[in-house]
Amino acid sequence: MEWLGRAKIDFTTSPKPLSLQEKDGNATDLLQICQSAVPPCQLNPLIFNGHAQTMWTAAKAHGPPLHYKRKIFEADHAEFNGSFVVDFAVTDPEAEEEADESLTPRTAYFTEDELANMGSDDSRPMLVVLHGLSGGSHEVYLRHAIAPLIDSGKWEACVVISRGCANSKITTGLLYNARATWDVRQTIKWLKKTYPNRPLFGLGFSLGACILTNYLGEEGSATPLKAAVAVANPWALHISSKMLQSSFIGHHVYQRVLGNAMRALSMRHKEELEKYTDIDTEHLFSLKYLYEFDRAYQCPTWGYPTEEAYYRDASSSDSLLAVRIPLLAINAVDDPIASNLSLPYAEASTNPYTVLCTTSLGGHLGWFEIGGGRWHGKPVCNFLNRMAFEVDLDSINHEANGKRTSGNPKHGTNFDPIRRKMHVNLNQ
């Protein structure tokens, strides 16, 4: 039935999924929650494959309107200092106001009085969202996923803007990369302090899904987040990059489009890059492809010897092994950017905290339905609503999978998924 737009849906998880308890006392597990949250995937048959679904995202459909207020944060990380911004969804229609023309659509800065009055003792669930490469809170795929939650009147949400994106200013030479978890970590800590009674949840798209998964792996059971969703995560970046470079359309269309996006982003921050870094901006602005940009910017800025070393280190497949909160990951098998060959089937099958949901159709952040709707918003909202309102969050056992590291004590080996390497005693 795929030729009629009906995608096949599969789930990959541990043979013993994470046990959960609903608020009414009924026992369930993470796989059952995910299966009930994911509806049939009926897409537009005229947008018939992954390339068509992916390219249709450039059609610039309006999407559901959402309004935001922006707050500027000063980073508390000793090495990765500077500023970043977070866009908070406006949930009170009376608070919507005319957008600041210097920002992205429907976005304005908080006033000084509004900033001074931030904070609440309410217990409304709050969603922390991470956007895709060079994107922001204005992205259509993002708004399709969170608008139903905001419109329900039951949720609050904010979008952590990657440094330099969405018309934000940088105050150092640092932009961001797929391993840049420090800004989302600081945001979550601030939210937990400012809104102590709100249960926090995470949602990431594409590169933002990679950052979110890396954060969850780094934090393990210590994260304040209760559950999360990762959509169209590219997972093994080195594999996805090689797959793109291996085909004409991947190399000359996708790599070029992504490279142009990062080149345009860096050009907007030319003054800061020349002031705070030794990057040859003339050379940087002449590059065409994403891997060239990563070689010219990410490597010297962060200290990676090659872009391949960066891709291996920033990949989130291993991080998935260390996740210790319920995580639903959604990917399309025909995604030409987050290649099916990069999906962590083996890792998902060993971790009871994770369920990998794959659809046979959908492309990269496409999932276009007849009429222009986006299917991915349905499982995202269903899963988050079930976790927030139906599951007893206190019943989650964060140690159900034991230690996050593995190895063979007999031989003194230890594999830490966050270090990406097996530690072996070299007898030196």
Side-chain angles (χ1 to χ4, degrees), residues 295-345:
R295 182 187 305 155
Y297 176 81
Q298 303 290 16
C299 290
T301 302
W302 305 100
Y304 290 107
T306 67
E307 71 270 23
E308 292 293 328
Y310 158 55
Y311 295 150
R312 290 191 296 271
D313 182 63
S315 295
S316 55
S317 302
D318 287 342
S319 296
L320 190 67
L321 295 166
V323 171
R324 291 297 178 268
I325 64 168
L327 173 66
L328 170 61
I330 304 173
N331 283 86
V333 172
D334 68 352
D335 186 332
I337 294 176
S339 169
N340 181 46
L341 294 178
S342 73
L343 301 191
Y345 293 104

Side-chain angles (χ1 to χ4, degrees), residues 113-132:
D113 287 343
E114 289 171 331
L115 289 171
N117 290 320
M118 292 188 81
S120 172
D121 291 329
D122 69 69
S123 58
R124 293 157 61 86
M126 182 151 199
L127 185 61
V128 183
V129 188
L130 281 74
H131 59 79

Side-chain angles (χ1 to χ4, degrees), residues 240-282:
S240 292
S241 178
K242 287 185 182 297
M243 289 298 296
L244 285 176
Q245 294 179 54
S246 68
S247 70
F248 181 87
I249 192 171
H251 191 196
H252 294 287
V253 177
Y254 299 124
Q255 276 279 357
R256 192 160 188 162
V257 168
L258 297 171
N260 285 341
M262 292 307 297
R263 181 178 62 181
L265 176 67
S266 60
M267 290 177 71
R268 289 197 292 271
H269 303 286
K270 179 177 185 290
E271 181 179 343
E272 290 78 12
L273 294 180
E274 292 181 341
K275 180 177 180 180
Y276 297 110
T277 76
D278 296 324
I279 299 292
D280 182 348
T281 55
E282 184 176 351

Side-chain angles (χ1 to χ4, degrees), residues 152-214:
S152 73
K154 299 178 180 179
W155 283 80
E156 302 285 340
C158 66
V159 182
V160 182
I161 304 298
S162 293
R163 296 194 190 188
C165 292
N167 294 3
S168 64
K169 305 290 185 181
I170 60 172
T171 52
T172 68
L174 292 177
L175 294 173
Y176 63 98
N177 70 14
R179 195 76 192 272
T181 59
W182 30 88
D183 291 347
V184 67
R185 179 176 289 105
Q186 179 177 340
T187 301
I188 290 171
K189 287 181 179 179
W190 182 87
L191 289 171
K192 191 62 181 174
K193 180 180 179 181
T194 308
Y195 303 96
N197 297 324
R198 288 184 179 178
L200 303 178
F201 297 85
L203 171 61
F205 297 93
S206 193
L207 192 77
C210 187
I211 296 172
L212 176 62
T213 307
N214 279 329

Side-chain angles (χ1 to χ4, degrees), residues 56-57 59-68 105-106 137-148 151 368 371-374 376:
W56 197 249
T57 61
K60 304 296 183 184
H62 293 297
L66 283 179
H67 294 255
Y68 299 95
R106 299 174 303 280
S137 59
H138 61 287
E139 297 289 355
V140 177
Y141 63 77
L142 184 153
R143 289 185 281 125
H144 267 287
I146 71 171
D151 292 343
F368 285 95
R374 307 287 280 272
H376 67 274

Side-chain angles (χ1 to χ4, degrees), residues 386-409:
R386 287 214 62 182
M387 293 302 302
F389 300 114
E390 297 180 24
V391 172
D392 179 2
L393 299 176
D394 294 330
S395 71
I396 299 174
N397 177 9
H398 296 288
E399 303 302 328
N401 205 31
K403 297 187 298 181
R404 83 173 183 184
T405 60
S406 59
N408 189 330

